[in-house]
Amino acid sequence: MIGDWLDIGWLDEIPVRGARTVPVAGGDEIAVFRTSDDKVFALANRCPHKNGPLSQGIVHGHSVTCPLHNWKIALATGEAQGADNGCTPVIPAKVSAGRVLICRASTLKAAA
Amino acid sequence: MDIHDSPSPGATDAIEIATPRPREHLVVIGNGMAGCRAVEELLARDAGRFRVSIFGAEPHVNYNRIMLSPVLAGEKTFDDIVINGHDWYQDNGIELIAGDPVAAIDRAAKTVTSQAGRTIGYDKLLIATGSDPFIIPVPGHDLPGVISFRDMADVDAMLAAAATGGDAVVIGGGLLGLEAAHGLMLRGMKVTVLHLMPTLMERQLDEAAGWLLKTALEDRGQTVLTGADTAEIHGDGKVAGVRLKDGRDIPASLVVMAVGIRPSVALARASGLAVGRGIQVDDHMVTSDPDVLAVGECVEHDGQVYGLVVPLWEMCRALADGLVGKPTGYRGSVTSTKLKVAGLDVFSAGDFSGGENCEDIVLRDGARGIYKRVVLRDNRIIGAVLYGDTGDGGWYFDLLKKGEDVADIRDVLIYGQAFASGGGRADPKAAVAALSDDAEICGCNGVSKGKVVACIEDGATSLDTVRATCKASASCGSCTDLVETLLALTLGDSVESGPKTLCECTSFTHDDVRREIVAQELKSIPEVMQKLHWSTPDGCSSCRPALNYYLLCAWPGDYADDQQSRFVNERLHANIQKDGTYSVVPRMWGGITSPTELRAIADVVEKYDAPMVKVTGGQRLDIFGIRKEDLPAVWADLNAAGMVSGHAYGKALRTVKTCVGSEWCRFGTQDSTGLGVKLERMSWGSWMPHKFKIAVSGCPRNCAEATIKDFGVVCVDSGYELHVGGNGGTKVRATDLLCKVATEREAMEYCAAFIQLYREEARYLERTAPWIERVGLDTVKARIIDDAEGRAALTDRFLFSQSFSQDDPWAERAAGARPEHHTPMAAFTPRTEEMA
Ligand SMILES: Cc1cc2nc3c(=O)[nH]c(=O)nc-3n(C[C@H](O)[C@H](O)[C@H](O)COP(=O)(O)OP(=O)(O)OC[C@H]3O[C@@H](n4cnc5c(N)ncnc54)[C@H](O)[C@@H]3O)c2cc1C
Ligand code: SF4
Ligand code: FES
């Protein structure tokens, strides 16, 4: 399925050090993050701890801190950092000509 | 009566028994780093041995010269860098003659004479005159506007020049030149660095590291010209520019010469002491005259002169040992340099010039800006250069000093100690634990690991006490991590938390950061992070909200709030709940509501299917289970009924709880409800270090529970009792009585002043209860009750800040602002076959 990308909009539509969401019909929401160095990352919008909406966390470096209990999740791997254990599904994401693209197959898998 | 002209021998005896032998007089020339440290070491060994007089050419007390750079850069003030203030001289009976340099030494008569003509005798003389900056004698070197970088007067001259802006040229791309350039740039000047050699800091760094440094400085806006040979400095009565031998001309209203130093030996030479490159001393710092000693940058020991502080400390110890009759002897120093040049980490030690029989191990990581080079001969480290990541500097230096055979760890040597001592991701604590006792922890003060540990075992349980007792980490602070690790290793869990750093991204405490924001007029989060050397690109979820608050509090009206640095509750102006939905609390002034408001709330509950409405502890209604997409519409409906946000989600004024008071209650002495409404109208919308609650009770029966609120008013017959610092949270705390006032107006003024004091001085996430316990009720009283002017000023600042913050955050969102917080970016509906 590689190469099958979903175009979800302009990079500029995501606040720097912020996130937007992409609901998936019949499945879980995706959170799409933009970091201070203009990289994008996409994760299932739920914390491995107790499903906190990661899109609402504070983004710093290439991590996001969950708004519910402050777990720190690495955006690139979805892994909880520090002493915590858990992992959120990662959806490959990239920017091409100012548009944000996320991997279709992984989106489906994550939302399932 | 003087004992020498006693009339009879018998009387003399009697007096001699009562009067101690007159103490020998030690005269010190030079009130700098080495001179005063030598005296400190001496006092520590035998405080009664000498009567001490110190001459200083500068009109100051003893200060930390290496901290002049932070003073220039605006990170510190002169007061911050004083090592020994006037009280030290006084307490130890030391006579300080500051601002009057010694002009001559008469060794035969054992006296010194100052410029102002003062002559005093000595038993022992200590010369610690330091160095003179070297001025290259190009035409124009004596024009006004050409200065060196050596003492506080030079810093003042640079600051005066920087105040008018314009161009500066720094001649010399060594440590001092780069520090000066960095400081001047931070002070707003356009800076060009001229360096004769092809790469910067060639004495500390090899070519590759020098080049990395140059690139990094250029990225920060400096112009760096290497291979630049100065022909002349020109100007009409005052500096106007610098011309290079290749014809280039650089305009400048200030020229800083930082091309080197030479030992200050003129005085010693004139008095006939043996002088080579510096004043020649033996292993006990004694010169060619047994009653004259010398220490510091002005000396030459075993053919070496030194220009860094660590060797000076070793000299001072040897000197003091010798003076009290327990000579140990100085054997020379191998130096390493760990520096922060313009916020960039640099380390070098030993000989890194390479050459025959030497092998180089090099690691280069361009993307991370890291370069490391270790030079080996016969499997022993003889030199190291680190750029960008200097954490392992101490370890390499330790191996170097011991001359240890590194054949076994050669292949992992360059990855640092954690790797080399086993395991790729070894615990950094283990690395520190593995350091030998004589490994150097604090370079500035020459403190070894053994000494830090001893100081901790002797009872120092916090960073501050370690700093105060053995001085480790008390200067530039780059070893703070190491000292903290040693605390943790030595004490286990009983480390005192002390003033903690704001978070792991910085070595500054909350209080430091607040102070620097104001002192340096820092007005945005990136600026703070830049100026205060944050170690992360954009902070973390702890420091960003704190900085956002501190900036907002310091610059009301000026500072542009950073939404991405707010916790979701404050970003969405609603409380996030465990299922990811939100709850919404509209303001009900003083706890009073009306049919219209109740109807609006009931309508919202029905329309958005809110599963629950609850009366809160603060007498407001909380509507639960609202989806983030629906928030703007909910707010619009509530706004339409005249209700505004209750800030129940914010580090902000939450509620003002009231009882019914004199209006209805048979006990009520004053209109507690009315006053509550007034207080809420005055203080709503203000951001605080933490949530803030107020209550007003109409009589001492205290139905509004005012004595467990941050600010509580209990009305009595004769007026209003004002209470502060209460908390009904995890740790219940009853309030302290602040004072009693007679009128509502005063109650409101004191309330505003108290809030503002808390807003300006408490640490982020510190509620009033722990804040008051930390600073003491008396301090708060002194500021608010005793100081009427201060109180009025606080009140004014609060009301000024309120003139910007009392906009309902819901209204703008309801009107469509920041839709990105509420609407999805796109929606994805998979094809049906994909769903299978
Ligand atoms: C801006 C700057 C940054 C530095 N940074 C570092 C660093 O990061 N790390 C490091 O290890 N070193 C650093 N150094 C070097 C360090 O400051 C010196 O090695 C150290 O100060 C030398 O101590 P000293 O007592 O020999 O000389 P000084 O501290 O210079 O003291 C000598 C004193 O003697 C006085 N004096 C001279 N002649 C007379 C006289 N005839 N009568 C009376 N008083 C006299 C002088 O006015 C001066 O106050 C820095 C130096 C400067 C200028
Ligand atoms: S505090 Fe006093 S005035 Fe207020 S309701 Fe209670 S009894 Fe009445
Ligand atoms: S749900 Fe994310 S930290 Fe608990």
Side-chain angles (χ1 to χ4, degrees):
Chain A
M1 269 281 165
I2 291 175
D4 191 1
W5 297 88
L6 289 168
D7 180 333
I8 56 171
W10 294 104
L11 176 65
D12 290 353
E13 294 173 57
I14 311 175
V16 180
R17 280 177 270 109
R20 297 289 297 274
T21 52
V22 177
V24 179
D28 259 1
E29 213 167 53
I30 306 298
V32 187
F33 300 86
R34 176 177 175 190
T35 54
S36 54
D37 53 1
D38 270 349
K39 299 237 156 42
V40 294
F41 297 91
L43 297 177
N45 191 18
R46 54 184 148 88
C47 176
H49 179 217
K50 293 192 171 172
N51 295 330
L54 294 175
S55 60
Q56 301 301 327
I58 290 181
V59 178
H60 46 97
H62 285 181
S63 312
V64 59
T65 297
C66 176
L68 290 197
H69 318 96
N70 289 329
W71 278 31
K72 197 169 124 192
I73 310 295
L75 293 174
T77 60
E79 301 253 12
Q81 305 291 288
D84 300 316
N85 265 313
C87 190
T88 289
V90 179
I91 295 96
K94 64 179 182 184
V95 182
S96 169
R99 302 290 294 182
V100 179
L101 309 172
I102 59 175
C103 172
R104 182 187 192 98
S106 312
T107 302
L108 281 167
K109 221 166 84 196
Chain B
M1 191 176 65
D2 194 304
I3 58 167
H4 299 296
D5 46 49
S6 313
S8 76
T12 306
D13 282 345
I15 295 167
E16 268 188 356
I17 292 162
T19 314
R21 187 169 57 100
R23 287 189 292 169
E24 280 187 90
H25 190 188
L26 171 68
V27 173
V28 183
I29 309 178
N31 187 36
M33 310 261 309
C36 287
R37 174 59 78 97
V39 173
E40 280 181 44
E41 292 280 350
L42 186 59
L43 292 173
R45 284 167 181 70
D46 185 355
R49 178 81 173 73
F50 288 95
R51 177 162 70 84
V52 180
S53 303
I54 305 180
F55 278 93
E58 296 178 69
H60 301 288
V61 291
N62 173 221
Y63 64 87
N64 189 344
R65 194 171 306 284
I66 68 182
M67 290 284 124
L68 285 177
S69 313
V71 173
L72 176 63
E75 290 155 8
K76 289 202 172 0
T77 63
F78 179 75
D79 287 344
D80 296 332
I81 68 166
V82 166
I83 304 176
N84 288 305
H86 284 289
D87 45 349
W88 177 75
Y89 295 91
Q90 234 151 46
D91 294 348
N92 292 295
I94 300 169
E95 179 189 20
L96 171 64
I97 304 139
D100 186 13
V102 170
I105 304 171
D106 183 341
R107 290 197 289 124
K110 291 182 96 172
T111 59
V112 298
T113 303
S114 75
Q115 206 170 59
R118 198 179 327 217
T119 299
I120 62 172
Y122 66 81
D123 295 302
K124 292 274 181 208
L125 180 67
L126 170 58
I127 307 180
T129 46
S131 300
D132 300 320
F134 184 56
I135 299 285
I136 27 175
V138 291
H141 70 270
D142 46 6
L143 279 172
V146 181
I147 56 175
S148 53
F149 186 14
R150 179 73 194 172
D151 58 26
M152 197 54 209
D154 295 328
V155 172
D156 285 335
M158 284 191 247
L159 292 181
T164 58
D167 301 286
V169 165
V170 174
I171 304 180
L175 164 69
L176 278 190
L178 297 182
E179 293 280 2
H182 177 61
L184 291 170
M185 198 187 71
L186 292 184
R187 295 289 186 169
M189 294 193 92
K190 192 173 160 297
V191 181
T192 305
V193 176
L194 305 181
H195 192 54
L196 186 60
M197 305 304 283
T199 58
L200 294 175
M201 291 184 69
E202 74 285 350
R203 258 177 297 165
Q204 286 85 14
L205 299 180
D206 63 5
E207 245 167 75
W211 182 82
L212 279 171
L213 182 61
K214 175 169 187 271
T215 321
L217 292 173
E218 284 169 340
D219 283 349
R220 287 171 192 208
Q222 292 182 17
T223 308
V224 179
L225 304 180
T226 45
D229 199 353
T230 306
E232 68 161 334
I233 303 172
H234 59 85
D236 197 4
K238 152 166 203 322
V239 167
V242 177
R243 198 159 13 249
L244 300 182
K245 292 218 171 118
D246 62 13
R248 275 181 290 181
D249 193 352
I250 301 126
S253 53
L254 173 74
V255 174
V256 178
M257 277 234 204
V259 289
I261 52 171
R262 25 166 90 141
S264 167
V265 296
L267 197 58
R269 181 172 284 140
S271 71
L273 290 168
V275 172
R277 285 161 70 207
I279 306 168
Q280 285 167 341
V281 293
D282 66 10
D283 288 355
H284 311 292
M285 315 316 291
V286 179
T287 66
S288 54
D289 177 339
D291 288 324
V292 181
L293 301 101
V295 74
E297 277 186 352
C298 60
V299 308
E300 173 187 322
H301 173 268
D302 204 9
Q304 294 285 324
V305 294
Y306 296 95
L308 291 169
V309 294
V310 177
L312 311 188
W313 299 161
E314 295 171 4
M315 292 179 197
C316 289
R317 285 193 285 272
L319 174 125
D321 288 341
L323 276 180
V324 299
K326 293 191 180 125
T328 45
Y330 173 65
R331 303 268 179 284
S333 308
V334 195
T335 52
S336 69
T337 326
K338 188 169 178 182
L339 305 166
K340 247 197 163 46
V341 186
L344 304 160
D345 288 317
V346 168
F347 174 90
S348 82
D351 177 5
F352 50 83
S353 50
E356 233 170 280
N357 304 330
C358 291
E359 300 165 274
D360 277 346
I361 308 181
V362 176
L363 178 129
R364 233 182 263 270
D365 186 342
R368 287 194 302 146
I370 288 175
Y371 169 82
K372 301 182 182 188
R373 174 157 161 242
V374 176
V375 185
L376 302 182
R377 189 188 295 138
D378 300 335
N379 281 325
R380 282 168 226 282
I381 298 183
I382 61 161
V385 179
L386 309 177
Y387 177 90
D389 174 3
T390 54
D392 283 309
W395 182 62
Y396 291 127
F397 187 47
D398 200 28
L399 293 173
L400 183 154
K401 277 197 293 190
K402 293 216 188 87
E404 211 144 296
D405 191 322
V406 293
D408 288 349
I409 51 170
R410 226 193 104 105
D411 50 336
V412 287
L413 190 64
I414 201 72
Y415 301 111
Q417 183 178 18
F419 252 87
S421 47
R425 272 234 215 135
D427 178 2
K429 269 196 191 170
V432 178
L435 283 177
S436 69
D437 262 2
D438 52 4
E440 179 177 287
I441 297 294
C442 170
C444 299
N445 293 297
V447 190
S448 65
K449 176 181 163 190
K451 288 215 184 121
V452 178
V453 171
C455 152
I456 298 170
E457 284 168 348
D458 283 350
T461 49
S462 69
L463 185 60
D464 264 3
T465 35
V466 170
R467 285 177 172 169
T469 34
C470 71
K471 295 211 147 88
S473 140
S475 293
C476 80
S478 63
C479 60
T480 303
D481 285 353
L482 287 174
V483 174
E484 283 179 334
T485 311
L486 285 176
L487 275 163
L489 284 171
T490 316
L491 300 175
D493 289 337
S494 52
V495 189
E496 257 175 47
S497 36
K500 284 243 291 263
T501 62
L502 198 150
C503 67
E504 286 176 1
C505 308
T506 174
S507 60
F508 284 77
T509 64
H510 282 268
D511 300 347
D512 292 338
V513 170
R514 296 205 83 162
R515 199 185 51 242
E516 293 306 315
I517 285 176
V518 177
Q520 302 191 42
E521 300 198 14
L522 307 178
K523 297 210 168 164
S524 71
I525 292 179
E527 207 181 338
V528 176
M529 292 181 170
Q530 181 64 28
K531 295 267 166 87
L532 303 185
H533 312 302
W534 242 244
S535 61
T536 45
D538 50 5
C540 70
S541 57
S542 298
C543 57
R544 288 233 313 270
L547 292 182
N548 192 49
Y549 168 72
Y550 290 154
L551 287 162
L552 199 97
C553 177
W555 314 114
D558 255 5
Y559 170 67
D561 190 84
D562 179 23
Q563 286 287 301
Q564 300 321 132
S565 297
R566 283 189 179 275
F567 186 67
V568 55
N569 281 358
E570 293 183 348
R571 211 179 319 129
L572 292 189
H573 307 292
N575 280 345
I576 193 164
Q577 301 297 351
K578 62 184 268 188
D579 61 352
T581 65
Y582 295 81
S583 80
V584 167
V585 181
R587 207 164 270 294
M588 285 177 178
W589 307 96
I592 300 177
T593 185
S594 68
T596 324
E597 289 182 354
L598 290 172
R599 221 170 266 128
I601 290 173
D603 287 344
V604 161
V605 173
E606 274 183 0
K607 187 162 156 195
Y608 301 95
D609 260 341
M612 181 164 88
V613 193
K614 176 154 193 335
V615 180
T616 70
Q619 304 174 330
R620 307 292 184 271
L621 290 174
D622 196 350
I623 310 163
F624 284 85
I626 307 288
R627 302 182 317 139
K628 111 182 157 233
E629 298 75 34
D630 289 338
L631 284 170
V634 167
W635 297 330
D637 288 0
L638 294 168
N639 274 172
M643 303 184 86
V644 299
S645 164
H647 287 89
Y649 43 78
K651 310 293 172 222
L653 176 88
R654 296 271 171 103
T655 53
V656 180
K657 188 172 182 179
T658 60
C659 73
V660 292
S662 60
E663 208 186 341
W664 295 92
C665 177
R666 64 204 158 103
F667 301 111
T669 61
Q670 313 276 0
D671 177 13
S672 51
T673 327
L675 177 57
V677 173
K678 286 182 198 150
L679 286 173
E680 188 161 356
R681 294 247 178 232
M682 173 182 81
S683 54
W684 77 280
S686 57
W687 298 108
M688 308 262 192
H690 208 304
K691 62 183 168 191
F692 193 97
K693 300 178 177 180
I694 300 180
V696 188
S697 286
C699 82
R701 286 175 184 73
N702 195 7
C703 296
E705 296 162 338
T707 49
I708 50 159
K709 296 291 184 276
D710 297 280
F711 187 85
V713 182
V714 176
C715 304
V716 290
D717 278 326
S718 55
Y720 306 82
E721 281 177 358
L722 308 183
H723 297 258
V724 294
N727 183 359
T730 38
K731 190 165 164 242
V732 182
R733 181 182 196 273
T735 46
D736 294 310
L737 177 64
L738 181 68
C739 63
K740 220 185 103 182
V741 295
T743 63
E744 269 198 354
R745 225 192 57 80
E746 285 169 295
M748 292 180 62
E749 184 195 336
Y750 281 68
C751 175
F754 176 76
I755 292 180
Q756 187 65 7
L757 188 67
Y758 168 62
R759 281 174 31 100
E760 288 178 3
E761 298 190 0
R763 298 169 188 161
Y764 191 65
L765 296 190
E766 182 174 47
R767 284 201 66 179
T768 57
W771 171 61
I772 281 182
E773 292 191 350
R774 180 164 65 79
V775 302
L777 177 66
D778 288 342
T779 320
V780 176
K781 277 186 170 167
R783 302 281 297 276
I784 294 182
I785 302 164
D786 308 343
D787 176 6
E789 246 172 66
R791 176 177 67 239
L794 282 166
T795 307
D796 285 348
R797 289 204 291 282
F798 180 64
L799 296 178
F800 174 72
S801 152
Q802 284 297 80
S803 67
F804 302 101
S805 68
Q806 290 195 321
D807 288 324
D808 179 29
W810 286 353
E812 58 157 8
R813 294 298 177 85
R818 302 190 202 270
E820 73 277 7
H821 284 319
H822 304 277
T823 52
M825 184 169 189
F828 175 41
T829 312
R831 297 188 290 268
T832 30
E833 72 274 15
E834 283 179 324
M835 291 303 292

